[in-house]
């Protein structure tokens, strides 16, 4: 009886889902591009996956902007791709916070129960495209990359061209929940499977200085797990940590907002998560400034070896 009722709700939700505003889109692509070059340090912001915890990314961005930390390259996985796309598209921290508080998450859930998943993800795609005035990734204000996982091969794919909303949707498509996103005959799912925080891709693209934001829920330090669901969740967190540690190893600064258990999302909890991001980023500012100064001096030495402003490498 309960199952029938749930199926009925899902079918009703699917019927009432508004049609896509942007139906005809240029498919996302992962295209080789030359490494970013600059006389000053090339700064990348790598925003990690974490579902609703992604509101914390907004707080990090607010602090970086308030302290004149210029970001040259934005990369995001899953929730990080949602915030990253909007940030790369010109939304500053204050505008992101306003958008977050006004956003009705339930309207982004287009339920459609099938063997492939039960959320299509089209409304998330349309939300991003609408917010960005349907601009492609290459038309955004900052270079942006959305990380997804190709389902057939298991490899990470860095979408840096084409439709922004579809790239974000692919990056956010949690297996078993969202339908896989079909792009040029291949299925793509959540980038979290391969690049929970996309640091190594930022390095490959020429970033000199990488600020990584890890919003993941760490394994519980608990002597007793209550049931099989707790055991499975703990096991997945442990497996994820090995991938995560490899990614974070090449970031100069890792910001980890103190969140704890993911709260039920309402206006108050969104503000709480944003505040957690602000506090963690503020604590990281001395290290960020120290690294920027060090890398700037190293680049000056490489470009002008005889300059009195250049400081030799230690």
């Amino acid at each position: 009886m309960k199952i029938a009722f749930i199926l009925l709700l899902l079918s009703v939700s699917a019927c009432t889902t508004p049609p896509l505003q942007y139906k005809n889109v240029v498919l996302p692509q992962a295209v080789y591009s030359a490494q970013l070059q600059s006389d000053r340090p090339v700064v990348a912001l790598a925003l990690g996956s974490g579902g609703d915890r992604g509101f914390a990314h907004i707080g990090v961005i607010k602090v970086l902007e308030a302290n004149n930390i210029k970001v040259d390259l934005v990369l995001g996985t899953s929730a990080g791709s949602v915030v990253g796309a909007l940030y790369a598209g010109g939304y500053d921290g204050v505008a992101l916070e306003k958008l977050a508080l006004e956003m009705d998450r339930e309207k982004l859930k287009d339920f459609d129960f099938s063997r492939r998943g039960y959320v299509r993800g089209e409304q998330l795609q349309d939300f991003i495209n609408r917010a960005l005035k349907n601009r492609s990734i290459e038309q955004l204000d900052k270079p942006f990359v959305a990380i997804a996982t190709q389902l057939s091969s298991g490899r990470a794919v860095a979408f840096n061209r084409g439709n922004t909303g579809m790239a974000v949707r692919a990056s956010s498509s949690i297996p078993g929940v969202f339908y896989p996103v079909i792009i040029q005959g291949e299925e793509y799912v959540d980038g979290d499977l391969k690049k929970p925080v996309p640091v190594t891709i930022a390095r490959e693209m020429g970033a000199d200085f990488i600020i990584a934001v890890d919003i993941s829920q760490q394994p519980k330090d608990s002597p007793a797990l209550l049931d099989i669901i707790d055991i499975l969740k703990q096991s997945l967190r442990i497996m994820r940590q090995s991938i995560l540690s490899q990614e974070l190893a090449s970031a100069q600064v890792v910001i980890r907002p103190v969140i704890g258990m993911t709260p039920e999302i309402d206006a108050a909890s969104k503000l709480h998560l944003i505040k957690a991001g602000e506090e963690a980023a503020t604590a990281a500012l001395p290290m960020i400034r120290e690294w920027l100064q060090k890398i700037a001096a190293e680049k000056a030495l490489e470009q002008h070896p005889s300059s009195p402003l250049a400081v030799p490498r230690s």
Side-chain angles (χ1 to χ4, degrees):
M1 190 69 179
K2 287 182 179 179
I3 294 174
F5 180 65
I6 291 170
L7 290 174
L8 177 62
L9 285 177
L10 291 173
S11 64
V12 170
S13 299
C15 291
T16 58
T17 299
L20 279 173
Q21 180 176 354
Y22 300 104
K23 294 180 182 179
N24 301 317
V25 300
V26 177
L27 296 178
Q29 292 180 292
V31 178
Y32 172 79
S33 57
Q35 288 192 341
L36 296 175
Q37 301 288 336
S38 176
D39 291 340
R40 61 176 186 78
V42 175
V43 179
L45 180 62
L47 303 175
S49 58
D52 290 333
R53 303 160 75 88
F55 289 106
H57 288 315
I58 297 173
V60 172
I61 290 169
K62 287 180 68 178
V63 169
L64 295 180
E65 289 185 328
N67 289 273
N68 298 314
I69 308 297
K70 186 180 186 305
V71 173
D72 303 290
L73 171 64
V74 185
L75 306 94
T77 297
S78 200
S81 75
V82 176
V83 177
L86 296 169
Y87 177 46
Y91 285 80
D92 62 15
V94 173
L96 283 171
E97 182 175 75
K98 182 175 184 293
L99 185 64
L101 294 175
E102 293 174 349
M103 181 181 69
D104 183 352
R105 292 162 57 255
E106 295 307 311
K107 290 183 179 179
L108 301 183
K109 296 178 180 178
D110 41 7
F111 293 107
D112 189 4
F113 190 79
S114 82
R115 290 182 300 174
R116 307 290 286 162
Y118 58 87
V119 178
R120 292 199 306 274
E122 292 176 350
Q123 292 307 307
L124 171 61
Q125 173 180 318
D126 218 34
F127 167 76
I128 295 294
N129 285 335
R130 189 164 50 249
L132 296 174
K133 296 181 171 57
N134 206 31
R135 285 178 291 161
S136 296
I137 294 174
E138 63 271 24
Q139 297 172 326
L140 301 180
D141 299 56
K142 297 177 186 291
F144 170 67
V145 180
I147 314 303
T149 303
Q150 190 178 74
L151 195 55
S152 62
S153 66
R155 69 184 181 91
V157 176
F159 289 119
N160 61 349
R161 293 287 186 277
N163 186 264
T164 311
M166 185 175 280
V168 168
R169 174 186 167 197
S171 179
S172 307
S173 292
I174 303 168
V177 178
F178 283 77
Y179 282 31
V181 179
I182 301 175
I183 300 172
Q184 295 182 335
E186 289 285 350
E187 291 186 316
Y188 294 89
V189 293
D190 199 332
D192 176 77
L193 298 177
K194 296 293 289 187
K195 303 284 182 182
V197 185
V199 174
T200 52
I201 292 177
R203 186 70 65 201
E204 291 167 5
M205 294 184 69
D208 300 307
F209 176 50
I210 302 172
I211 302 170
V213 187
D214 174 21
I215 56 169
S216 64
Q217 192 168 340
Q218 304 299 308
K220 292 180 181 178
D221 185 10
S222 173
L225 298 170
L226 298 178
D227 54 32
I228 190 170
I229 299 299
D230 281 345
I231 292 170
L232 286 172
K233 286 181 178 178
Q234 179 79 340
S235 300
L236 289 171
R237 291 185 192 121
I238 292 170
M239 290 168 59
R240 189 176 183 275
Q241 287 308 302
S242 61
I243 301 173
L244 187 59
S245 61
Q246 291 176 27
E247 280 295 308
L248 295 178
S250 57
Q252 286 93 342
V253 173
V254 179
I255 297 175
R256 289 191 175 93
V258 179
I259 297 173
M261 294 296 292
T262 307
E264 290 296 323
I265 297 300
D266 55 20
S269 60
K270 289 177 184 177
L271 289 171
H272 168 74
L273 289 165
I274 291 169
K275 182 68 173 177
E278 291 177 356
E279 291 174 350
T282 300
L285 279 173
M287 185 179 295
I288 291 172
R289 292 195 177 102
E290 182 180 338
W291 271 106
L292 282 172
Q293 185 177 18
K294 178 182 178 182
I295 295 170
E298 289 177 349
K299 295 195 82 165
L301 180 61
E302 290 171 356
Q303 295 161 14
H304 308 286
S306 61
S307 171
L309 298 178
V311 178
R313 295 175 186 264
S314 57

